[in-house]
Amino acid sequence: MRFHELYFGQADARTEAIREPDGFISSYVDHRDLVRSVVDGGRFLVLGPKGAGKTALAWFLQATSREHNRVVHPRDVSELPLADVTKLKTGDEPGISRSLNAWRFLLLCALVDIILEDQSSDLNKNAEAVQVVSKLREYGFLDPTPKAAILKATKNTWKVPIPKVGEIFSRESVESLHLVHLLPYLEKWVSEESGTNNRYLLVLDGLDSIYLNSNEYIPALSALVQTALSLNQSLAAARAPGSVVVLLRNDVFSRLDLPDGGKVRADWSIELDWRILSGEVSTAPLFNLVDRKSVSLLKIPPVDVVNRFFPPEIRLKGRGAERNVYNYLLNLTRHTPRDLLQLFEHIRQAAVASHSPQTEAILSQETIREGVLQYATKYFVDAVRNELVGRGGSGESGRAVVDALRNVGARRFTRDAYKKALENLDSTAAPGADDALKWLFFAGAIGNEVGKGETRYLQFFHRRDDNDVYLHGNLVVHNALTYAWAVPWN
């Protein structure tokens, strides 16, 4: 076995699931027993930074659904007109109640659609339910992305004709119902499904990509999470086979306006936290991930990849210093699976491109450095830019923020130096220096230098739990960006 034979996957979990389904499934690492917690309905809120594995969970559940008696629909919420959901004319008065009912209606429609996909379900035998759902499908509410239906329902109050037979006909004295008045029936149909042993999961993804600076984003998302909690509680109490799973960045969750948000996080969420805050770096969960995923296609037990293929120390070119290999590798990432796996993949590609990949049992210093440089320039810079998508309302603002950081030309810098670099860009899309630095901090591109002399250390967002950046004193560019831009190590 040689290093170039190992498997580290692709940057995007959905792409990997489509292109390499066998590799994706066999190499998936179930961190913190996440799959069971979500499938059982014990946890519905999966929190973690971008690249932590939230999307990988959605597509793993979908890819393995048949052999585990599951019907799973990952839905990309970023394609919805999020702010317009709260304006949906459901038939009740405007306000927070209508916002919650609008989300409840959309989630129930999606769950009903999932159950109807299972031909053995009891719901397919309910003529009244099938007729009502057929009309809702005609309106577009059961589309994978019901964008058109939502936009139309913000302008018109829609009603659904009542079937001439069935429970609705016997209980209602009208010929048609507002959407809000359908809620008890939709929920009853979802709750009473008992024809199979299947589990039905609606997984809401894409919330990392929504424009974060919209004034209506936080209220709309708060209503979504609050509704998902309420609906899951009702379904769990009824022992229903369906549930809603929400994948959300932990820093976004902290900004939501939720009653008892702390209790929601404690009782209903599970965090994809791969960090090691103390102890031996070599035992970090991320390296365990690498050890297990890398040999999955070879169908052999996990190996200690770093210890087997890397030298114990990495020589820092031009600085006459050495670093422990585990610290060196981890500090090139933001402590997420995507970053570390991409780092190993670029080193693997460098090994393939070297002159003797078949005989190189231990990677050379040159091969490692080349892989690191490829990772830093081809992956990490774009990853930071992608983190800034939506901030400021345009892609141009994010590019300006990153370009200014590069133009500072130093690894350690001050707020004033960055402000000058930003002004020199002469970009109308650029935000103020303080906002830009906060964006870069949350993206993991910069950190604070804390302390003095021998007690000095670096503090990055991905190594802490609070959400503040100290803009005075020295700021520090992330190691990967330092390599990508050939910034002097000052």
Side-chain angles (χ1 to χ4, degrees), residues 110 148 186 193 208 229 278 289 365 435 452 466 475 479 484:
L186 291 170
E193 172 55 43
D208 286 358
L229 168 63
S278 63
L289 166 70
Q365 299 278 341
D435 283 340
K452 295 181 180 180
D466 56 88
L475 298 164
N479 286 4

Side-chain angles (χ1 to χ4, degrees), residues 138-155:
E138 179 185 323
Y139 291 161
F141 286 114
L142 271 70
D143 291 351
T145 305
K147 178 179 179 180
I150 291 171
L151 292 176
K152 288 179 182 178
T154 61
K155 300 175 182 178

Side-chain angles (χ1 to χ4, degrees), residues 141-338:
F141 286 114
L142 271 70
D143 291 351
T145 305
K147 178 179 179 180
I150 291 171
L151 292 176
K152 288 179 182 178
T154 61
K155 300 175 182 178
N156 303 293
T157 302
W158 287 8
K159 293 184 177 182
V160 176
I162 293 177
K164 297 302 181 183
V165 293
E167 181 186 9
I168 302 179
F169 177 75
S170 63
R171 293 182 59 182
E172 305 290 345
S173 58
V174 292
E175 294 184 353
S176 59
L177 286 181
H178 288 294
L179 301 182
V180 68
H181 297 136
L182 282 174
L183 288 177
Y185 301 104
L186 291 170
E187 189 165 334
K188 184 174 185 292
W189 296 334
V190 171
S191 298
E192 292 184 351
E193 172 55 43
S194 59
T196 71
N197 293 322
N198 287 338
R199 283 286 298 170
Y200 305 105
L201 297 176
L202 171 64
V203 186
L204 304 182
D205 195 10
L207 292 167
D208 286 358
S209 306
I210 295 175
Y211 279 35
L212 300 182
N213 277 22
S214 168
N215 292 330
E216 297 171 306
Y217 171 80
I218 294 302
L221 186 52
S222 299
L224 168 58
V225 174
Q226 189 173 340
T227 303
L229 168 63
S230 172
L231 181 56
N232 280 326
Q233 288 174 324
S234 297
L235 295 177
R239 300 187 180 278
S243 59
V244 179
V245 181
V246 180
L247 312 179
L248 188 63
R249 275 172 34 185
N250 44 5
D251 63 313
V252 173
F253 178 81
S254 67
R255 296 168 58 192
L256 299 185
D257 183 16
L258 291 174
D260 298 323
K263 293 180 181 178
V264 174
R265 190 167 197 160
D267 296 341
W268 289 93
S269 79
I270 185 166
E271 297 204 34
L272 278 170
D273 189 349
W274 298 83
R275 297 173 302 169
I276 182 168
L277 302 178
S278 63
E280 178 57 47
V281 176
S282 62
T283 64
L286 283 172
F287 289 114
N288 177 56
L289 166 70
V290 168
D291 294 344
R292 294 172 61 184
K293 185 179 181 74
S294 61
V295 296
S296 59
L297 298 189
L298 300 177
K299 302 187 184 305
I300 61 174
V303 299
D304 186 340
V305 172
V306 177
N307 189 49
R308 179 163 180 171
F309 295 105
F310 285 74
E313 306 286 336
I314 301 296
R315 293 193 301 271
L316 305 182
K317 190 174 182 180
R319 288 189 279 155
E322 292 187 341
R323 292 287 184 271
N324 171 272
V325 63
Y326 288 98
N327 286 297
Y328 173 79
L329 293 171
L330 197 58
N331 287 337
L332 287 165
T333 75
R334 292 163 297 179
H335 295 205
T336 64
R338 183 184 297 163

